[in-house]
Amino acid sequence: MDDLDVAELRWRRRELQLLRELDISCNRIEELPCAIGNSLRLRKRKANGNRMRTIPAEIESCKLLEDQYLSENQITHLPEEVGKLAVLRILHLQNNN
């Protein structure tokens, strides 16, 4: 879904439960839906080059998340739940406001 000029994400619960990788880079996304917490198998998320200011606290439910790319957004705050992601190895936050 990268570089499709998408502004909003909508998924069905079942789709999120099966998701292992997500690339939504280079769109106009301002926020991730709280339902992202249903992505229990998610390991990698690329969301570079969007308009996000933060990520939902529900990200804590993504216990398998290893890599998170959030560069070139407008992120000014990360919820403390990000620190609870025990297997998180990579967190890119370059060029945020």
Side-chain angles (χ1 to χ4, degrees), residues 32-75:
L32 287 173
C34 293
I36 195 72
N38 292 324
S39 304
L40 303 178
R41 297 180 184 174
L42 187 64
R43 293 185 180 273
K44 181 186 287 186
R45 181 178 67 196
K46 293 182 179 182
N48 300 316
N50 282 289
R51 299 177 183 171
M52 292 186 289
R53 290 186 175 83
T54 190
I55 57 175
E58 288 79 6
I59 196 69
E60 179 182 6
S61 298
C62 300
K63 304 279 187 206
L64 299 177
L65 188 61
E66 298 174 348
D67 305 339
Q68 192 163 214
Y69 299 87
L70 299 167
S71 299
E72 299 176 15
N73 277 284
Q74 298 172 5
I75 296 174

Side-chain angles (χ1 to χ4, degrees), residues 7 22-23 26 32 35 60 82:
L22 174 65
D23 188 347
C26 301
L32 287 173
E60 179 182 6
V82 171

